[in-house]
């Protein structure tokens, strides 16, 4: 009876009474193939878009029997490399120049798994489909640095950074900023486009919030650094400048972005709306509607005067009447009693 060959490693299975004088050679070949299957390495140059690993029964020359296979060469189109349709496993080093083409590895007439350029893969096949072990691996623990050149997709689970609360920073780069998002682990701060946040959230650049903003439990300070020419503006449904702070002029405007001639200007710009510029509603009846705090003089040199030329007046309050052409001082009289 002649020798037969195993299906996976193509080992020569010798029949009783066969191979007289060559039994030792054949046995050594089988041992070498077993060694290659455990620790063997072979470099294979891809020769066509549909290539196959060499399979040689009973010899040590076949490429398929090696545990580690390095693929080289330059792809000329979408390519598949195939092995026999038998159960096996491989470590594949994809060193082929791929360009824009794909490279699949599969059992003959089976389903391939696509290889990533300049990457190493741990593969196994059940004889009909090639599987990449790390495509759906279980828990993975990396005690060193984990570098990922491709996309990272977290689907179906939480992502926790720094569970042990160590002094570790977290940084995300954008195309033009090294610290587009930065967590300062030691100082418990977050920087947006900021490598050294000075408060809990420190943003360098514009910020836009489309939802509600709830400031609860702390003060709100605008322009604490007193930078020049930083304006503050609030819109309503119809007014672009319902409230406006002119940073460079140190003025406030209601209904205007160009407050003039006063620290505060109220501009009721509508000529059709029946509405006053200012309405005062004092529910505490024993308190004044307005408090004038100025410099009192006995003549008209100040903004308050004690001149009592008319009747029982206590004094006058200076106001300016401006008709758009001429600004003229006028005086509103006031009394000490009702």
């Amino acid at each position: 009876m002649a020798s037969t060959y195993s299906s996976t490693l193509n080992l020569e299975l010798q029949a009783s009474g066969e191979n007289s004088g060559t039994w030792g050679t054949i046995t050594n070949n089988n041992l070498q193939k077993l060694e290659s299957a455990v620790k063997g390495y072979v470099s294979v140059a891809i020769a066509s878009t549909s290539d196959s690993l060499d399979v040689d029964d009973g010899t040590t020359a076949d490429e398929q029997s090696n545990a580690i296979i390095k693929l080289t060469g330059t792809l000329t189109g979408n390519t598949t490399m195939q092995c026999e349709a038998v159960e096996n496993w491989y470590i594949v080093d994809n060193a082929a120049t791929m360009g824009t083409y794909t490279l699949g590895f599969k059992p003959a007439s089976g389903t391939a798994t696509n290889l990533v350029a300049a990457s190493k893969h741990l593969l196994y096949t059940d004889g009909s489909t090639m599987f990449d072990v790390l495509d759906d691996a279980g828990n993975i623990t990396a005690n060193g640095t984990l570098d990922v050149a491709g996309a990272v997709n977290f689907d179906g689970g939480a992502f926790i950074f720094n569970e042990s609360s160590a002094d570790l920073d977290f940084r995300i780069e954008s195309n033009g900023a090294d610290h587009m998002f930065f967590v300062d682990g030691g100082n418990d701060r977050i920087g947006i486009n900021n490598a050294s946040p000075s408060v809990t959230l420190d943003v360098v650049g514009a910020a836009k919030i489309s939802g509600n903003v709830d400031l609860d439990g702390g003060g709100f300070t605008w322009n604490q650094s007193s930078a020049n020419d930083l304006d503050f503006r609030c819109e309503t449904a119809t007014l672009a400048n319902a409230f406006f702070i002119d940073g460079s002029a140190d003025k406030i405007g209601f209904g205007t972005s160009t407050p003039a001639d006063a620290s505060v200007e109220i501009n009721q710009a509508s000529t059709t709306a029946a509405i006053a510029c200012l309405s005062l509603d004092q529910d505490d009846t024993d308190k004044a509607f307005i408090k004038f705090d100025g410099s009192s003089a006995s003549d008209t040199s100040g903004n308050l005067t004690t001149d009592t030329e008319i009747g029982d007046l206590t004094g006058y309050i200076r106001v300016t009447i401006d008709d758009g052409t001429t600004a003229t001082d006028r005086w509103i009289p006031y009394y000490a009693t009702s």
Side-chain angles (χ1 to χ4, degrees):
M1 178 182 289
S3 296
T4 57
Y5 297 91
S6 66
S7 60
T8 301
L9 295 178
N10 301 297
L11 301 176
E12 186 169 350
L13 307 178
Q14 303 181 73
S16 178
E18 294 292 325
N19 305 319
S20 176
T22 60
W23 184 275
T25 300
I26 294 173
T27 299
N28 289 339
N29 284 345
N30 284 340
L31 292 175
Q32 287 180 325
K33 288 172 73 69
L34 289 172
E35 186 177 56
S36 294
V38 176
K39 293 187 175 181
Y41 167 90
V42 65
S43 180
V44 179
I46 298 174
S48 66
T49 57
S50 182
D51 207 348
S52 300
L53 297 175
D54 285 344
V55 179
D56 294 307
D57 287 338
T59 74
T60 58
D62 67 327
E63 298 166 339
Q64 179 177 275
S65 294
N66 289 274
I68 303 170
I69 299 172
K70 181 175 183 178
L71 299 177
T72 63
T74 300
L75 303 191
T76 58
N78 293 336
T79 300
T80 57
M81 173 63 75
Q82 69 177 23
C83 61
E84 285 187 305
V86 295
E87 301 88 345
N88 211 337
W89 67 272
Y90 303 94
I91 296 174
V92 176
D93 180 2
N94 180 17
T97 302
M98 296 177 59
T100 59
Y101 302 118
T102 61
L103 175 58
F105 192 63
K106 68 173 188 174
S109 302
T111 302
T113 186
N114 285 328
L115 305 181
V116 178
S119 300
K120 297 172 178 63
H121 295 261
L122 179 60
L123 308 176
Y124 79 92
T125 175
D126 59 4
S128 60
T129 302
M130 188 68 70
F131 299 96
D132 192 328
V133 172
L134 295 182
D135 269 351
D136 55 358
N139 294 336
I140 297 176
T141 300
N143 291 320
T145 300
L146 178 64
D147 291 325
V148 180
V152 177
N153 181 23
F154 293 101
D155 186 10
F159 174 77
I160 300 174
F161 173 77
N162 193 19
E163 173 93 353
S164 61
S165 299
D167 184 359
L168 297 174
D169 298 335
F170 180 83
R171 182 171 63 89
I172 298 176
E173 288 196 28
S174 65
N175 186 50
D178 291 342
H179 296 80
M180 198 67 255
F181 182 86
F182 178 72
V183 176
D184 185 337
N187 292 309
D188 300 324
R189 295 169 181 167
I190 296 175
I192 305 296
N193 197 23
N194 188 347
S196 54
S198 59
V199 293
T200 301
L201 177 62
D202 199 339
V203 180
V204 174
K208 180 178 180 180
I209 301 174
S210 298
N212 295 330
V213 177
D214 183 7
L215 300 177
D216 186 8
F220 175 76
T221 304
W222 163 259
N223 192 19
Q224 178 150 325
S225 62
S226 300
N228 187 37
D229 200 17
L230 288 180
D231 300 334
F232 182 86
R233 182 171 64 88
C234 294
E235 290 195 25
T236 61
T238 59
L239 293 176
N241 299 282
F243 180 78
F244 183 82
I245 296 177
D246 188 332
S248 59
D250 297 326
K251 295 179 180 178
I252 298 174
F254 292 86
T256 176
S257 62
T258 55
D261 300 326
S263 291
V264 178
E265 177 183 345
I266 302 175
N267 185 349
Q268 200 293 103
S270 174
T271 58
T272 59
I275 186 173
C277 284
L278 178 64
S279 174
L280 303 178
D281 184 357
Q282 170 58 284
D283 288 339
D284 192 346
T285 57
D286 65 346
K287 298 298 180 182
F289 276 90
I290 302 175
K291 177 183 178 183
F292 291 98
D293 188 358
S295 176
S296 180
S298 59
D299 55 17
T300 59
S301 62
N303 47 37
L304 296 174
T305 179
T306 57
D307 189 340
T308 58
E309 293 180 1
I310 302 176
D312 295 328
L313 293 175
T314 302
Y316 299 86
I317 300 168
R318 184 197 298 269
V319 296
T320 300
I321 307 300
D322 191 344
D323 62 5
T325 303
T326 304
T328 306
D329 283 350
R330 293 289 186 266
W331 296 87
I332 298 176
Y334 63 89
Y335 298 82
T337 64
S338 60

